[in-house]
Amino acid sequence: GQQVMQIPQYQHVQEGEDFTTYCNSSTTLSNIQWYKQRPGGHPVFLIQLVKSGEVKKQKRLTFQFGEAKKNSSLHITATQTTDVGTYFCAGRSGGSYIPTFGRGTSLIVHP
Amino acid sequence: DGGITQSPKYLFRKEGQNVTLSCEQNLNHDAMYWYRQDPGQGLRLIYYSQIVNDFQKGDIAEGYSVSREKKESFPLTVTSAQKNPTAFYLCASSWGLAGSNGELFFGEGSRLTVL
């Protein structure tokens, strides 16, 4: 079945440093979604990428979808304490209309 | 305000007892889902439903049951057959099936602890 691997599992950074989390799929994806879950909270949708090589930005967050549509990344520039949380990718392949979630990357920002 | 309401937020039960978690949405979404979250495991799909009176097993359906008698409601029963039921349970909904046109909207979750 489809697998979505996400690394790293945890990332500690000093406030102001950059952060990147990576998602890799065993199959070609139709699209990929990113969610953020604050500590003690529930996942909240951030963005969806559909096209090969697509890059989207939301303020300090940059999302990329690989040319082969098998990998994706989320990059945060100059982290702030408000960025703390777990970031999940969720990929959907052509054969399945239910997205498969990665295990998430927990970001810890030290002031 | 539109959204998804899960109840209860916290639940303690003795081993061997069935437990039903409530999920109600007023977003008029067709699709609803139940996920289980364990530390370091991400979100694992238990059941999903595309329309009323229809639902499908996800990756970890054993020991769980659901019903979809109304569009806005998708309760999850954790049965005594579930070997390790202590977890954080998340209900979600979407327009159509997520990944096709849009995102998943999640409830605030129910934390079940079996003693």
Side-chain angles (χ1 to χ4, degrees), chain A residues 31 33 35 37 42 45 97 103, chain B residues 37 97-99 102-104 107:
Chain A
N31 60 46
Q33 298 174 343
Y35 293 81
Q37 184 177 24
H42 58 280
F45 175 80
Y97 39 72
R103 290 192 173 191
Chain B
Q37 186 173 31
L97 288 169
E103 75 248 41
L104 293 172

Side-chain angles (χ1 to χ4, degrees), chain A residues 19-78:
Chain A
F19 159 78
T20 305
T21 173
Y22 301 90
C23 257
N24 290 288
S25 170
S26 55
T27 58
T28 301
L29 299 171
S30 300
N31 60 46
I32 192 157
Q33 298 174 343
W34 286 91
Y35 293 81
K36 177 183 178 181
Q37 184 177 24
R38 294 183 187 275
H42 58 280
V44 175
F45 175 80
L46 294 176
I47 208 159
Q48 176 169 286
L49 303 172
V50 178
K51 298 176 185 174
S52 168
E54 189 169 14
V55 178
K56 286 188 176 180
K57 293 192 176 186
Q58 290 179 349
K59 297 182 180 177
R60 294 177 294 104
L61 278 61
T62 301
F63 303 85
Q64 292 189 321
F65 202 8
E67 294 288 343
K69 300 181 75 173
K70 281 190 168 186
N71 57 74
S72 181
S73 65
L74 158 59
H75 179 83
I76 302 178
T77 304

Side-chain angles (χ1 to χ4, degrees), chain B residues 42-83:
Chain B
L43 302 173
R44 293 185 289 169
L45 183 65
I46 305 172
Y47 269 97
Y48 65 97
S49 168
Q50 300 178 64
I51 56 172
V52 173
N53 292 324
D54 184 61
F55 47 83
Q56 307 294 329
K57 291 183 179 180
D59 300 318
I60 55 166
E62 187 175 348
Y64 300 97
S65 67
V66 293
S67 63
R68 186 90 187 272
E69 296 176 2
K70 298 185 296 182
K71 185 176 184 177
E72 56 270 23
S73 179
F74 192 41
L76 173 74
T77 297
V78 184
T79 75
S80 56
Q82 168 50 233
K83 290 184 169 48

